[in-house]
Each structure stands twice: as structure tokens, then as C-alpha cells.
Amino acid sequence: MCADGTPVGNGHGIHKLYTSAMLRALETTQPIADALKLTPEIWPDVHEEGGIWLDQGDGRGPIGYPGMTRTEIQAQFPGFALPDSITEAGWWNRPFETRESLVCRAARLADDVRRHVAGQESRIAIVSHGTLISLLIQHLLLGQYVPDIRFSNHNTGISRIDFDGDSVMLRYLNRIDHLPMDLVT
């Protein structure tokens, strides 16, 4: 039983559901939100490496794209909470994100996650993407980026990290037992 009386078996006591603004994360988040009866909150900084980009193969390299607009997200995912930073100009609108910027973003996110759970019996879930999740786990567990360490993340893989004061414990990583083997990617 959680401090607020929520049974742990009921969605594992998750109180907040955050998601990337990228389409595939929004699509994954919808059934989770429905099952947990939570309002998903879009957290634009939990997007995949690079942002929204495409390399046309014409020598220009990766070109940044704006991502879905506020109206597009609201139409396709009604009920999701959107921050003011998502406008009719999209949510990305930047060039391709460098690895250095990604590592810095993961460090900031680790600090944000710690603030979200500090001093609370709160449980949050974040629907994001493999490379970012790997770096976020590094920063949460190790407090830094270690280039030679990677944490594998299958699509819809579930990882759990518990916080107890200054202590951090990895309970499980990349669980996919909810998937039939033919859907493991």
C-alpha cells in the first residue's frame, strides 16, 4: 500500500505518467494512461537522441523538423497535458541534437526526476526512447555519463528504479515479459 492508500498492485502505485512528444511514444502512452486512469503529461525533454530529424542523403546531413503541433497532438491524443512550449510551430524546431547535448540533457533530466520524487512517496512512469533511457539510467545510478556502458532497452521494455533518500536501486531493467516473443524488437 502506498502512503496515499493506493494499492501497489494497481498500476504499481504510479501517480504520474510522463511521455515524450514523439509520435511513437504518444501512441505507446495512450493505452498505459487508459489502464492506469491517469492524465499523461508530455515532457518534451524526454525525446530520443537527435530530436526530430531526417537525413535526405544529399550531403546536407541531418535536418531538423518541427514535430507535431499543439493542435495535431490535441486532436490525436485528447486529454494529454501539454506544456506551453508546444505550439503551432511544433515542439522541436531545432537542428539535429549532438551527442554532447544529449548527454547534458540526460543529466538535467536525472536531476529533474530526483526532484519529482524527492521527499514524496510518489511513483512516476516515463515513456521515452532507448538511447535517452540508457543515459538517464547512467546519470541516476552512476551520477555521470560513461561512454562504454549502455543499458539495453527493447521497445516497450520496462525498467524500475527506486529512490530512498540519497540511495538509488535498480530493481529491474528492460523487462519484456508482458510481450509475446514475436513482438520483441
Side-chain angles (χ1 to χ4, degrees), residues 20-104:
S20 161
M22 292 180 125
L23 179 60
R24 68 182 187 263
L26 297 170
E27 291 170 338
T28 300
T29 301
Q30 184 67 69
I32 298 168
D34 293 345
L36 298 178
K37 296 178 180 30
L38 292 173
T39 298
E41 298 180 34
I42 297 176
W43 191 351
D45 278 347
V46 298
H47 65 82
E48 181 58 292
E49 176 178 15
I52 301 288
W53 61 274
L54 184 62
D55 188 338
Q56 300 285 349
D58 59 6
R60 293 182 294 165
I63 305 295
Y65 287 87
M68 293 174 71
T69 67
R70 184 174 199 85
T71 299
E72 290 169 336
I73 293 172
Q74 288 172 326
Q76 196 165 344
F77 302 96
F80 280 43
L82 283 74
D84 292 340
S85 63
I86 299 177
T87 68
E88 291 313 309
W91 66 270
W92 177 247
N93 291 313
R94 288 168 281 209
F96 180 79
E97 178 186 46
T98 65
R99 176 58 95 153
E100 181 180 331
S101 293
L102 170 64
V103 169
C104 291

Side-chain angles (χ1 to χ4, degrees), residues 7 12 39 49 62 65-66 118 123-124 135 146 148 166-167 182:
H12 297 281
T39 298
E49 176 178 15
Y65 287 87
R123 294 180 183 197
I124 67 171
L135 292 172
V146 182
D148 297 335
D166 291 334
S167 176
D182 62 324

Side-chain angles (χ1 to χ4, degrees), residues 108-182:
R108 284 191 315 273
L109 284 169
D111 290 342
D112 288 345
V113 167
R114 287 179 185 278
R115 277 193 293 279
H116 276 78
V117 298
Q120 302 176 33
E121 292 275 339
S122 96
R123 294 180 183 197
I124 67 171
I126 301 172
V127 178
S128 188
H129 312 273
T131 303
L132 177 70
I133 291 295
S134 178
L135 292 172
L136 180 59
I137 290 171
Q138 279 191 32
H139 284 286
L140 289 170
L141 296 178
L142 307 173
Q144 65 182 349
Y145 169 56
V146 182
D148 297 335
I149 294 178
R150 292 188 183 128
F151 295 101
S152 176
N153 296 283
H154 289 291
N155 286 338
T156 77
I158 301 170
S159 299
R160 176 179 168 182
I161 299 175
D162 289 352
F163 298 86
D164 184 14
D166 291 334
S167 176
V168 180
M169 181 185 306
L170 179 63
R171 292 281 187 182
Y172 45 84
L173 177 69
N174 193 31
R175 281 184 59 177
I176 54 171
D177 52 336
H178 59 282
L179 291 176
M181 286 311 294
D182 62 324

